[in-house]
Amino acid sequence: GAVVSQHPSRVICKSGTSVKIECRSLDFQATTMFWYRQFPKKSLMLMATSNEGSKATYEQGVEKDKFLINHASLTLSTLTVTSAHPEDSSFYICSAYLTSGRTYNEQFFGPGTRLTVL
Amino acid sequence: KNQVEQSPQSLIILEGKNCTLQCNYTVSPFSNLRWYKQDTGRGPVSLTIMTFSENTKSNGRYTATLDADTKQSSLHITASQLSDSASYICVVSSKSNDYKLSFGAGTTVTVRA
């Protein structure tokens, strides 16, 4: 149980285009999901917290107009990288927060999306 | 300064050998500590999770220890296999905000035949 999927797994786009990444919790409902960014040989950096039915909370230094987050249902959050540029190329990972009926709350991570902007 | 420090940064071991990875943290108040395995180009997968009262937990050939007094944890890999080659990340959460995770930079383990 507690499986999180991401789509697409890999995307290559031209500079200036927008790219949408989906994050789904497959077997549980998640009021809260998270979006991370990871550069090569670095650890995950939290970009934003996505809350179902409300606005996302962005970390300091993350442009909310650049990285649009929508959490329209309890199993789906989307991250749209608008007007992508080569410096946006990175590995994007989402996680879903599982809280109900557990000793401790836990984030389950998706497999990641590799974005390459040419 | 990062609140979670891991060592070594990387290591190479021969198949069948054991190794131990270290994690020191300053996160307070402490809630729990997790070890994740991240294969190249994949998301992190949980290996173990320990709360304050737990000082050891095993998952197959992986054994994690926790000393909450000294704020140290270790991950021991027994009888390494080629598939153990990955990055191992120590992650700590705080009681004051348990969904805001503090990530270590990871230890890259390479297992060679």
Side-chain angles (χ1 to χ4, degrees):
Chain A
V3 179
V4 177
S5 70
Q6 279 184 245
H7 178 80
S9 59
R10 185 181 297 265
V11 57
I12 301 172
C13 68
K14 292 183 178 179
S15 186
T17 60
S18 294
V19 175
K20 180 185 283 189
I21 303 170
E22 292 185 349
C23 176
R24 294 181 186 273
S25 55
L26 298 185
D27 49 3
F28 65 100
Q29 293 184 328
T31 305
T32 305
M33 292 184 174
F34 303 89
W35 287 96
Y36 295 86
R37 186 172 180 177
Q38 186 177 32
F39 291 105
K41 300 191 184 300
K42 299 292 184 183
S43 197
L44 283 71
M45 290 180 55
L46 180 65
M47 297 175 64
T49 302
S50 169
N51 299 295
E52 189 267 337
S54 65
K55 290 184 179 180
T57 304
Y58 291 82
E59 295 300 299
Q60 191 173 10
V62 178
E63 300 174 58
K64 61 181 180 181
D65 296 329
K66 173 76 171 175
F67 299 99
L68 300 179
I69 291 172
N70 184 281
H71 193 153
S73 78
L74 290 172
T75 59
L76 173 64
S77 175
T78 60
L79 169 69
T80 301
V81 184
T82 62
S83 187
H85 291 284
E87 57 266 28
D88 298 323
S89 297
S90 189
F91 192 53
Y92 292 87
I93 302 174
C94 74
S95 71
Y97 194 48
L98 180 55
T99 61
S100 62
R102 299 175 64 86
T103 305
Y104 39 73
N105 303 325
E106 189 167 359
Q107 290 186 35
F108 291 90
F109 292 88
T113 296
R114 171 72 58 194
L115 170 64
T116 303
V117 185
L118 303 176
Chain B
K1 189 180 187 305
N2 197 359
Q3 295 188 75
V4 181
E5 299 283 349
Q6 291 187 243
S7 63
Q9 189 173 32
S10 62
L11 64 93
I12 300 172
I13 57 173
L14 292 177
E15 189 178 15
K17 298 297 185 183
N18 305 334
C19 68
T20 300
L21 317 179
Q22 301 291 341
C23 174
N24 296 334
Y25 64 91
T26 59
V27 175
S28 183
F30 174 81
S31 177
N32 57 66
L33 182 147
R34 312 123 190 263
W35 282 94
Y36 287 90
K37 178 186 179 187
Q38 185 178 23
D39 292 310
T40 300
R42 304 291 293 172
V45 174
S46 179
L47 295 176
T48 62
I49 179 168
M50 290 182 291
T51 58
F52 187 90
S53 59
E54 298 171 297
N55 52 27
T56 187
K57 186 165 279 190
S58 292
N59 178 0
R61 294 179 295 102
Y62 300 104
T63 299
T65 66
L66 172 66
D67 185 334
D69 292 331
T70 62
K71 298 187 177 182
Q72 296 179 323
S73 176
S74 67
L75 180 70
H76 186 75
I77 305 175
T78 304
S80 60
Q81 300 177 358
L82 297 178
S83 59
D84 292 332
S85 295
S87 178
Y88 292 84
I89 306 172
C90 176
V91 182
V92 182
S93 66
S94 168
K95 275 186 182 175
S96 57
N97 189 346
D98 75 347
Y99 63 74
K100 203 82 176 281
L101 305 179
S102 294
F103 290 82
T107 293
T108 301
V109 174
T110 303
V111 181
R112 292 200 173 146

